Amino acid sequence: MPVSQLGPIVSVMVAVAVDKPYSYRVPEGMEVKRGSIVVVPLGPRPTLGVVWGVPEDNFAHNRLKDIAHVFDVPPLSEELLQLVDWVARYTLAQPGMVLRGALRSREGLDPPRPVIAYRRAGPEPERLTDARKRVLDTMDDAMPWAKAALVGASGVSPSVIEGLVRTGTLEQIELPPPPPVMPPEPDFAPAQLSEDQQRALDEIRAHDSGGFSVALLDGITGSGKTEVFFESVADCLREGRQVGVILPEIALTHTFLDRFERRFGQRAAEWHSDMTPMQRARVWRGVLTGEVRAVIGARSALFLPFRELGLFVLDEEHDGAFKQADRVNYHGRDMAVVRASLAKARVILSSATPSVESRNNANQGRYALVRLESRFAEASLPDITALDMREEGPEKGQWIAPRLARAVFDALDRGEQALLFLNRRGYAPLTLCRACGHQYQCPDCSTWLVEHRFRGVLMCHHCGHEERAPEVCGSCGAVDSLVAVGPGIERIAEEVADRFPGARPVVLSSDMGSMSQIRDRFAEIARGEYNLIIGTQLVAKGHHFEKLSLVGVIDADLGLAHGDPRAAEKTFQILTQVTGRAGRASKTGKAFLQTYHPEHPVMQTMVKGDREAFYAHELKVREQGGLPPFGRLAALIVSGTDHDETFAYAKRLMAAAPLSENVRRFGPADAPVAMVRGRHRVRILTQSPKDFDLSGYVRFWLDNADPPRGSLRVQVDIDPMSFY
Ligand code: ADP
Ligand code: ZN
């Protein structure tokens, strides 16, 4: 809708928990359009909002308040506004809260502060001290110097510079702030693509109609997918459109930024939670003004205010971390595809183990399936063996089977590296008292406390509750009676120290320090300072270590036991990823899967290396069960401080469900993790055919049911990825 046609009264979506836009008057002399970012009075408080359009209903003019301020930035793009509505409708989140995700930097709305600088303006001062001379020698040309740079280069205190201003030798000026990043150069250092890579790139280009399209780039780890999609990024930059590369983990952004810089000569802007408000402001504003052409970031980057979005790349598109599980429950990959379709942009989904959803979309012809068949250069896939724990398991009290232990010795003897993988942080998943059997539980969650012996604490992995590991059993008073049940990586580390005394081990999990400490560990591993890595899924992703030739999976069955329809898929993905760490360079890698179910289809797939058989089998199972991607799921999680009240409300809610032959309803049932942070949790699950509007159904249901009161809360999870 063009500017002036909005009229004197407009609707404004405020970025707080509201369901719809409110009407405001545009004061005399102010100009707003759809997408303009404004401040409006909301109750007593000035609140950030966005002009949405013409109000649907007519209010009496005299009751309306004026828009207080309109920011001097370009309006949000039409497609972003549509995305906000779309996400809100689909996930049942309040549009104001979704909009908040798009206005993530309040500071970015203010004009960036100019840089204080100095330049030569007059003759040398009469009193030329050493310090003053150093300043003038540093500034030997007419170019202005930023204050910080001048202080740094001349090594004087700012007061010396101010003195030179007073004598008229220098003058203080203001320079426009530098752009957050320099534009990437599409032709800086293109890779010499292999034949296979070139064919893949040609296929992506051929599929691209200039509008919306999705390509699924499916190739084993190390096949060179990144180099291929970098060329698509270059295509997009050449067209003058913006690019977002979205990664599942911020821990991966660093390596990625380096690679980007080598290819494009400039760093991309980054976007994730580990940035200062100032950095965020610069990037956010730069994306909105168009100064920033490429962003590498976490899932929230999909809500950045791109003006000319041309391409989203989702690397490791299958990764569960793309699903956001708090407040607005959205799936980053799916919403990126939605945004691209609204923006008429391209999407590349890249993965070594595509999600079953994306594979199905490719099978159905909605996405182009582009494959990379071989590893780049001479690297090859590892040789995978399932180690039957019933037949050749480890001795009591140990977790590493003899055959795996021998392989570790051999690898270390050859001067190579080995990785022992267990996706469980801490020392042991369960701690109990030997004397009385007391099990240590979180006081606020129905979960066992996990012992972190390294830090001397018992910890809840759901809410973060921590307590010191007691010396005396809190229940029976026995001294030193704690026993650990089952292994976590710290316990594996202990066994390693015992059984491989000559090794140089390192333990890596997300709780082992800050992001930069973890980054340092990775660098040390790459330099070969350690040769035996014990890690969680943190090490399964994205990193390659030249000398790593052996991967041992301590518990390959770990992910299979849950009532999660994606359990097999997730297990297949993580096992493929972690075993793929072996033999990335020219070495032939080996991997062992310790399992009690060597006959399970996932283990068979891994051993035979037959991923196509896995997808075929998994798609059949899902189709028979009406599960995603052939059906839809939506979960309702009812929570409250009192169990019986919570359960009773869930039952009433269930009874209030509108009848529909399209929807199957399950529950209510106490959730597998029945209490989190002191709140009891009850789950209801609904299932419908794919072409049914399950979001609309759930909305209608909740709108017509008794609203939750008191401590009760209902959380809606459309397309749930976790079922705890
Ligand atoms: P993937 O993204 O599929 O895991 P990468 O793109 O990371 O694979 O490639 C694996 C390795 O091979 C990387 O070290 C990368 O630099 C290298 N590589 C891939 N393609 C090329 C190429 N065309 N020229 C030079 N090196 C390449
Ligand atoms: Zn807890």
Side-chain angles (χ1 to χ4, degrees):
M1 171 136 335
V3 204
S4 45
Q5 289 179 15
L6 285 184
I9 296 171
V10 296
S11 65
V12 172
M13 188 76 81
V14 282
V16 295
V18 297
D19 279 326
K20 56 179 193 342
Y22 297 148
S23 297
Y24 287 91
R25 205 161 40 198
V26 185
E28 198 77 28
M30 182 185 279
E31 264 202 44
V32 295
K33 336 176 170 186
R34 172 153 155 92
S36 293
I37 304 174
V38 295
V39 175
V40 293
L42 184 73
R45 248 172 300 136
T47 306
L48 207 55
V50 169
V51 174
W52 223 243
V54 182
E56 281 174 13
D57 30 26
N58 262 322
F59 286 95
H61 288 206
N62 53 6
R63 306 264 309 270
L64 291 180
K65 292 181 177 161
D66 280 2
I67 293 178
H69 178 67
V70 54
F71 289 97
D72 185 18
V73 291
L76 298 183
S77 63
E78 178 61 31
E79 46 92 5
L80 181 52
L81 303 184
Q82 288 176 16
L83 179 74
V84 169
D85 278 333
W86 204 102
V87 171
R89 194 165 56 241
Y90 189 75
T91 65
L92 273 72
Q94 287 158 311
M97 291 309 282
V98 181
L99 179 64
R100 213 179 156 104
L103 296 177
R104 277 288 278 279
S105 175
R106 169 62 189 82
E107 293 86 350
L109 290 164
D110 297 324
R113 258 179 269 134
V115 176
I116 304 291
Y118 298 94
R119 77 176 160 215
R120 193 67 190 258
E124 283 183 5
E126 282 167 20
R127 205 169 58 82
L128 190 60
T129 60
D130 275 358
R132 287 179 166 185
K133 188 165 180 328
R134 274 211 300 282
V135 174
L136 297 181
D137 287 348
T138 304
M139 313 175 66
D140 59 353
D141 50 24
M143 297 291 284
W145 276 70
K147 181 175 186 175
L150 187 56
V151 168
S154 58
V156 303
S157 74
S159 64
V160 176
I161 298 169
E162 280 147 26
L164 284 166
V165 173
R166 278 194 299 276
T167 63
T169 313
L170 300 184
E171 68 175 337
Q172 182 178 320
I173 55 170
E174 293 188 342
L175 295 179
V181 284
M182 298 303 284
E185 301 166 36
D187 300 308
F188 184 77
Q192 196 62 40
L193 295 187
S194 70
E195 222 172 277
D196 203 28
Q197 287 174 316
Q198 186 61 49
R199 181 199 35 79
L201 179 61
D202 291 344
E203 282 176 30
I204 292 174
R205 285 177 174 158
H207 178 67
D208 176 12
S209 58
F212 168 60
S213 66
V214 185
L216 175 60
L217 183 56
D218 176 358
I220 57 173
T221 314
S223 57
K225 298 185 291 297
T226 309
E227 306 295 332
V228 172
F229 69 64
F230 271 176
E231 293 316 302
S232 292
V233 169
D235 287 349
C236 185
L237 294 172
R238 282 188 206 103
E239 289 165 23
R241 299 176 77 180
Q242 291 168 299
V243 180
V245 178
I246 306 181
L247 308 175
E249 301 253 352
I250 55 173
L252 298 175
T253 39
H254 227 75
T255 354
F256 222 92
L257 284 164
D258 290 345
R259 262 183 102 165
F260 187 95
E261 190 174 353
R262 267 179 266 134
R263 168 63 186 80
F264 294 99
Q266 301 291 345
R267 258 176 129 63
E270 50 188 307
W271 184 261
H272 49 72
S273 54
D274 196 31
M275 293 166 69
T276 65
M278 203 49 211
Q279 290 170 319
R280 295 170 73 83
R282 285 157 56 91
V283 172
W284 190 88
R285 189 183 177 91
V287 171
L288 181 62
T289 59
E291 259 179 317
V292 169
R293 307 311 298 171
V295 179
I296 293 177
R299 61 173 180 242
S300 60
L302 86 93
F303 289 106
L304 280 171
F306 294 102
R307 322 183 44 67
E308 306 154 302
L309 182 66
L311 170 68
F312 270 144
V313 176
L314 287 104
D315 199 22
E316 313 283 359
E317 68 91 29
H318 62 276
D319 200 301
F322 281 122
K323 175 82 192 240
Q324 163 148 314
D326 48 79
R327 279 184 310 177
V328 183
N329 264 295
Y330 66 88
H331 196 300
R333 176 196 61 224
D334 297 349
M335 295 311 115
V337 171
V338 169
R339 178 157 187 192
S341 77
L342 295 168
K344 306 203 167 33
R346 274 159 269 176
V347 182
I348 296 179
L349 307 175
S350 176
S351 177
T353 50
S355 63
V356 168
E357 277 89 347
S358 294
R359 269 300 293 257
N360 185 55
N361 278 324
N363 291 356
Q364 311 276 320
R366 282 188 289 273
Y367 298 174
L369 181 59
V370 179
R371 290 180 192 251
L372 278 174
E373 305 286 354
S374 53
R375 280 198 156 181
F376 184 74
E378 73 263 59
S380 62
L381 272 183
D383 170 27
I384 299 176
T385 307
L387 228 155
D388 188 341
M389 296 291 268
R390 296 164 307 189
E391 300 283 330
E392 46 174 333
E395 284 177 30
K396 202 166 156 23
Q398 296 187 339
W399 312 98
I400 304 168
R403 191 139 62 112
L404 174 56
R406 274 197 303 280
V408 172
F409 273 121
D410 290 348
L412 301 190
D413 267 354
R414 287 192 302 268
E416 295 164 5
Q417 290 170 319
L419 164 65
L420 295 175
F421 172 79
L422 176 62
N423 208 6
R424 214 189 248 145
R425 293 178 285 141
Y427 185 82
L430 166 65
T431 302
L432 47 76
C433 169
R434 185 186 302 136
C436 72
H438 175 70
Q439 301 183 350
Y440 285 85
Q441 272 208 331
C442 177
D444 299 321
C445 307
S446 54
T447 51
W448 292 327
L449 291 178
V450 176
E451 183 182 4
H452 287 240
R453 198 165 280 192
F454 184 65
R455 288 171 44 223
V457 296
L458 298 177
M459 184 177 169
C460 170
H461 284 182
H462 270 277
C463 72
H465 165 87
E466 268 187 28
E467 51 191 70
R468 290 208 57 74
E471 279 157 29
V472 175
C473 172
S475 182
C476 73
V479 179
D480 275 341
S481 67
L482 293 198
V483 280
V485 182
I489 53 167
E490 291 181 17
R491 197 166 195 183
I492 303 301
E494 193 178 85
E495 182 176 340
V496 158
D498 219 38
R499 294 177 69 184
F500 308 96
R504 300 187 304 278
V506 61
V507 182
L508 265 180
S509 64
S510 55
D511 59 342
M512 288 303 201
S514 67
M515 239 178 61
S516 71
Q517 287 170 319
I518 289 172
R519 214 152 51 217
D520 292 346
R521 288 297 94 68
F522 278 122
E524 288 155 12
I525 295 170
R527 288 200 299 271
E529 287 175 28
Y530 302 105
N531 59 1
L532 187 45
I533 306 151
I534 302 142
T536 60
Q537 65 173 356
L538 184 71
V539 295
K541 296 179 189 177
H543 304 278
H544 33 104
F545 306 118
E546 299 263 311
K547 288 187 150 182
L548 184 65
S549 67
L550 174 73
V551 172
V553 178
I554 300 296
D555 185 353
D557 307 331
L558 191 57
L560 285 177
H562 302 300
D564 174 350
R566 291 186 184 80
E569 176 185 353
K570 288 177 182 168
T571 303
F572 160 71
Q573 285 159 343
I574 189 91
L575 292 180
T576 304
Q577 255 182 0
V578 70
T579 56
R581 298 298 115 194
R584 292 247 342 183
S586 52
K587 299 197 173 52
T588 319
K590 253 190 190 329
F592 288 93
L593 309 176
Q594 299 195 146
T595 173
Y596 287 90
H597 307 282
E599 71 294 337
H600 192 284
V602 173
M603 303 307 154
Q604 290 295 315
T605 296
M606 297 303 302
V607 170
K608 295 190 188 128
D610 191 357
R611 59 207 293 283
E612 290 312 306
F614 171 76
Y615 283 110
H617 176 259
E618 188 64 19
L619 281 166
K620 205 166 73 201
V621 170
R622 302 272 185 98
E623 188 162 19
Q624 280 163 358
L627 292 166
F630 300 97
R632 291 180 188 281
L633 296 176
L636 304 185
I637 299 119
V638 180
S639 65
T641 48
D642 178 81
H643 173 267
D644 292 351
E645 188 193 7
T646 308
F647 203 91
Y649 175 73
K651 261 171 111 168
R652 271 188 285 135
L653 194 59
M654 191 68 173
L659 288 180
S660 164
E661 58 190 22
N662 280 314
V663 183
R664 295 176 67 193
R665 295 174 296 274
F666 307 92
D670 287 322
V673 181
M675 186 157 93
V676 171
R677 291 189 173 86
R679 297 180 64 83
H680 297 270
R681 306 168 75 246
V682 177
R683 295 184 68 103
I684 293 172
L685 186 68
T686 63
Q687 183 187 21
S688 81
K690 171 117 189 114
D691 54 8
F692 181 77
D693 176 12
L694 191 56
S695 298
Y697 172 87
V698 173
R699 174 176 297 105
F700 181 79
W701 175 3
L702 294 181
D703 282 351
N704 290 288
D706 260 358
R709 285 179 218 287
S711 78
L712 294 171
R713 219 177 303 143
V714 180
Q715 193 198 341
V716 179
D717 190 1
I718 303 288
D719 304 334
M721 298 293 284
S722 60
F723 295 82
Y724 69 85

